[in-house]
């Protein structure tokens, strides 16, 4: 008698979300895309965006090329197939982030629960589903979450892989600082477990990797300055404004309710999964740009907690409902 293979509902949910993201991008174009295409065209011509070229009031002033590589990839897609190709690339990045989040939850959790969490995270990402270079950060952030799950299972190479990833991430988007912080957390936990200073070597290597950028150390300093000592113009960017209590926050609220119902804060594991979710929730309420990171990290935390709750128990049934 042959055994039936389980339907990969979580991956199907991620694929369906990718199609939904693509449909949204076809009717809504992010205005920053035109700057990225222009920068990418310059990169292909051998000119990195290291000086202001679009504002006559600051023409020629030095700039930090935080997104030169992602801009180049968007321009390559545009040359290959126009805006639909760019939208497809951006949609695949988001769908990939959801797929990695499902993998981070792990097969210990039921496939139905993983699919539910992926669907909720997808709808939480939907307001941010535009052809934006920050989609690279969503993908690589989810990759780090998946690698941390492997680290919990004893994969000792994970901190070094996270450090190496930063060399690519720093050239794609300023959100690489999230990866640097996650790496620091993993190394600190490893230090606490082994009591050996060598546990911090991957973090030191990752910090050095953040300097492998055309602007050098400025690339590392720039995101810190932009977050903690922002220029006046940042207040004009909608995504940096506080989150408003509205219908788009419903998926985040449901993920939070699920995590609370499953008592994700009591999850016993090498990595404190509920802590980054809480941090990103607070940051997301202050700046809605951080809400997708809450959705991804909280979905993983809830999924990890669901693995320890029997579906026949009242708490498990309530959480799934």
């Amino acid at each position: 008698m042959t055994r039936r293979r389980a339907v990969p509902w979580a991956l199907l949910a991620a694929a369906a979300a990718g199609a939904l993201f693509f449909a949204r991008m076809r009717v809504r174009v992010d205005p920053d895309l035109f700057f990225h295409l222009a920068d990418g065209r310059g990169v292909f011509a051998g000119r990195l965006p290291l000086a202001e070229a679009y504002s006559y009031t600051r023409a020629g002033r030095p700039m930090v090329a935080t997104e030169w590589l992602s801009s180049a990839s968007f321009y390559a897609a545009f040359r290959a197939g126009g805006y639909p190709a760019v939208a497809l690339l951006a949609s695949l990045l988001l769908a990939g982030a959801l797929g990695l989040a499902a993998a981070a939850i792990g097969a210990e959790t039921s496939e139905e629960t993983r699919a539910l969490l992926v669907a909720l995270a997808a709808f939480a990402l939907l307001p941010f589903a535009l052809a934006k270079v920050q989609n690279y950060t969503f993908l690589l952030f989810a990759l780090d979450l998946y690698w941390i799950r492997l680290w919990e299972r004893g994969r000792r190479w994970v901190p070094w892989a996270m450090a190496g990833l930063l060399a690519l991430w720093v050239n794609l988007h300023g959100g690489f600082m999230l990866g640097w912080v996650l790496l620091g957390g993993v190394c600190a936990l490893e230090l606490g477990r082994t009591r050996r200073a060598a546990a911090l070597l991957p973090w030191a290597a990752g910090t050095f990797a953040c300097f492998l950028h055309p602007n050098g150390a400025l690339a590392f300093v720039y995101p810190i300055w932009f977050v903690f000592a922002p220029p006046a113009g940042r207040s004009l960017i909608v995504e940096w404004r506080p989150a408003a209590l509205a219908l788009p926050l419903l998926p985040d609220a449901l993920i939070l309710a699920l995590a609370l119902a499953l008592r994700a804060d009591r999850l016993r594991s090498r990595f404190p999964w509920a802590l980054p979710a809480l941090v990103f929730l607070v940051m997301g309420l202050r700046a809605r740009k951080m809400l997708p990171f809450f959705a991804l990290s909280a979905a993983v935390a809830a999924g990890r907690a669901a693995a320890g709750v029997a579906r026949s128990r009242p708490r498990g049934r309530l959480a799934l409902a």
Side-chain angles (χ1 to χ4, degrees), residues 57-234:
T57 58
R58 295 184 60 86
R61 293 289 188 92
M63 289 181 56
V64 180
T66 55
E67 300 154 352
W68 71 271
L69 188 56
S70 52
S71 295
S73 69
F74 274 30
Y75 179 69
F78 184 78
R79 289 212 318 184
Y83 177 70
V86 178
L88 178 61
L89 171 61
S91 302
L92 290 175
L93 294 174
L94 291 174
L98 294 172
L100 287 169
I105 293 172
E108 302 90 346
T109 304
S110 70
E111 188 65 21
E112 294 81 1
T113 303
R114 289 204 304 164
L116 169 66
L117 287 165
V118 168
L120 288 175
F123 280 107
L125 285 172
L126 185 59
F128 303 87
L130 295 171
K132 299 176 71 72
V133 295
Q134 70 181 10
N135 294 357
Y136 279 105
T137 284
F138 295 148
L139 176 71
L140 299 182
F141 176 79
L143 177 59
D144 269 354
L145 295 182
Y146 172 63
W147 277 350
I148 291 173
R149 282 289 290 122
L150 297 183
W151 172 75
E152 286 187 321
R153 296 170 183 167
R155 305 296 200 278
R156 300 175 63 182
W157 52 265
V158 164
W160 293 103
M162 294 174 67
L165 181 65
L166 287 170
L168 172 66
W169 199 344
V170 70
N171 291 286
L172 287 169
H173 188 253
F176 72 90
M177 289 298 296
L178 300 179
W180 182 76
V181 171
L182 286 176
L183 173 60
V186 168
C187 291
L189 291 171
E190 190 68 20
L191 175 65
R193 186 181 67 88
T194 63
R195 306 293 180 181
R196 297 177 58 187
L200 297 178
L201 288 178
W203 199 23
T207 303
F208 174 76
C210 293
F211 298 161
L212 301 178
H213 184 275
N215 290 104
L218 280 178
F220 185 81
V221 175
Y222 178 81
I224 301 175
W225 164 76
F226 196 81
V227 171
F228 295 103
R234 200 191 78 172

Side-chain angles (χ1 to χ4, degrees), residues 222-259:
Y222 178 81
I224 301 175
W225 164 76
F226 196 81
V227 171
F228 295 103
R234 200 191 78 172
S235 61
L236 301 176
I237 303 175
V238 174
E239 290 187 352
W240 282 102
R241 296 176 183 174
L245 296 178
L247 187 60
L249 284 183
L250 180 59
D252 299 282
L254 290 174
I255 296 174
L256 177 61
L258 184 57

